[in-house]
């Protein structure tokens, strides 16, 4: 995702063009809202010794117009763009035997800013290292302030927080943060990215060893040159082995 929204303002209202999965959107000099669907392969054709066909597949383009009152800040355009790019996915199922309550929010964020990531601490996949057998004990939350004006936000965890610290983007500790009644209060400078590492209280129940998602494709083998076979996104697993049949 390159740019999620462009806004065309008037005196007391505006309209934003929200995109999902397209590489570029812009407001031209004549106030035209432009949406670029895909990059061309003209450079590749001139410099590669084979004919690329990266665009020769089924494409789905999704975008939306978002009218709002006030300017883009008052209309909360960045929030609308993130909601459009990360729609709520609901799954209906029968009640299970688990110990979790019927209503639960793991992370509660109250105030300014936009949460862009919530993850276990560490980067084992970024360096292609094996995933450690021991589960991380910290939760990392990253947020940013999109309007340019400083704000505040309160953060809490469903089992409670025991400690918190501000980190840099590499999750290296910077300084300890104080908790008040189990809530972390954060000051968000304008346009800043803030990352915090949280020590959370144990839930007191066994949540089970289930995987949150698949690590490899369910069907093997898969196309290495997936773009030539209308096979959708790249396969999982970094394609460690490629086999060419001539």
């Amino acid at each position: 995702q390159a740019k999620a929204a462009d806004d065309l303002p008037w005196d007391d209202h505006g309209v934003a063009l929200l995109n999902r999965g397209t590489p570029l959107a812009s407001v031209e000099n004549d106030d035209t809202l432009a949406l670029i669907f895909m990059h061309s392969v003209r450079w590749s054709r001139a410099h590669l010794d084979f004919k690329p066909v990266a665009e020769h597949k089924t494409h789905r383009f999704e975008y939306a117009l978002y009218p709002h009152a006030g300017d883009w800040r008052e209309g909360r355009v960045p929030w609308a763009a993130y909601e459009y790019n990360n729609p709520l996915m609901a799954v209906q199922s029968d009640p299970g035997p688990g110990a979790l309550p019927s209503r639960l929010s793991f992370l509660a964020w109250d105030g300014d800013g936009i949460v862009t990531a919530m993850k276990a601490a560490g980067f084992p996949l970024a360096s292609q290292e094996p995933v450690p057998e021991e589960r991380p004990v910290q939760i990392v939350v990253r947020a940013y302030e999109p309007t340019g004006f400083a704000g505040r936000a309160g953060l809490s965890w469903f089992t409670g927080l025991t400690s918190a610290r501000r980190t840099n983007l590499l999750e290296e500790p910077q300084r300890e943060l104080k908790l008040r009644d189990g809530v972390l209060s954060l000051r968000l400078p304008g346009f800043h990215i803030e990352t915090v590492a949280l020590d959370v209280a144990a839930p007191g129940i066994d949540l089970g060893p289930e995987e949150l998602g698949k690590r490899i494709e369910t069907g093997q083998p898969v196309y290495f040159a997936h773009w030539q076979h209308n096979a959708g996104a790249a396969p999982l697993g970094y394609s460690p082995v490629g086999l060419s049949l001539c």
Side-chain angles (χ1 to χ4, degrees):
Q1 175 188 333
K3 195 174 183 181
D6 277 280
D7 195 65
L8 190 62
W10 287 275
D11 291 339
D12 59 352
H13 60 282
V15 61
L17 175 63
L18 311 181
N19 70 83
R20 180 161 57 202
T22 53
L24 180 65
S26 65
V27 179
E28 303 301 313
N29 293 333
D30 61 353
D31 287 341
T32 299
L33 289 171
L35 183 62
I36 308 302
F37 284 158
M38 66 178 68
H39 291 299
S40 68
V41 293
R42 183 175 181 180
W43 184 92
S44 299
R45 290 178 184 274
H47 293 80
L48 299 178
D49 58 358
F50 60 90
K51 181 181 178 180
V53 291
E55 315 299 354
H56 296 178
K57 60 182 179 182
T58 302
H59 294 270
R60 179 187 177 100
F61 305 109
E62 298 180 348
Y63 57 92
L65 289 177
Y66 173 65
H68 58 84
D71 64 10
W72 65 272
R73 293 183 177 91
E74 296 171 324
R76 296 178 66 83
V77 170
W79 284 266
Y82 268 92
E83 290 173 358
Y84 183 68
N85 277 266
N86 301 274
L88 179 65
M89 301 179 65
V91 178
Q92 184 175 358
S93 63
D94 297 327
L100 293 177
S102 58
R103 297 184 61 181
L104 178 66
S105 177
F106 289 99
L107 174 70
W109 180 273
D110 182 22
D112 302 310
I114 297 176
V115 176
T116 59
M118 184 185 76
K119 58 180 284 292
F123 302 95
L125 296 182
S127 56
Q128 300 189 19
E129 297 176 354
V131 177
E133 295 183 1
E134 296 184 0
R135 298 183 180 182
V137 296
Q138 289 184 326
I139 301 295
V140 169
V141 176
R142 182 168 294 120
Y144 88 105
E145 200 296 312
T147 68
F149 294 95
R152 299 198 69 89
L155 185 157
S156 59
W157 189 256
F158 77 109
T159 59
L161 299 175
T162 59
S163 65
R165 61 197 55 83
R166 178 175 272 111
T167 75
N168 59 19
L169 291 176
L170 297 178
E171 300 179 13
E172 298 169 337
Q174 301 294 298
R175 65 183 180 90
E176 295 291 323
L177 299 173
K178 293 182 179 181
L179 303 175
R180 178 174 296 180
D181 298 328
V183 177
L184 174 62
S185 180
L186 281 176
R187 180 182 180 275
L188 302 172
F191 292 142
H192 274 226
I193 300 173
E194 295 293 333
T195 306
V196 293
L198 309 173
D199 290 302
V200 301
I205 55 177
D206 184 11
L207 298 179
E210 287 80 9
E211 294 285 345
L212 296 180
K214 62 182 182 179
R215 299 188 181 186
I216 61 174
E217 297 291 339
T218 55
Q220 297 289 341
V222 297
Y223 289 117
F224 182 81
H226 58 94
W227 58 88
Q228 295 182 349
H229 300 276
N230 201 20
L236 298 174
Y238 300 106
S239 299
V241 176
L243 177 64
S244 298
L245 300 178
C246 300

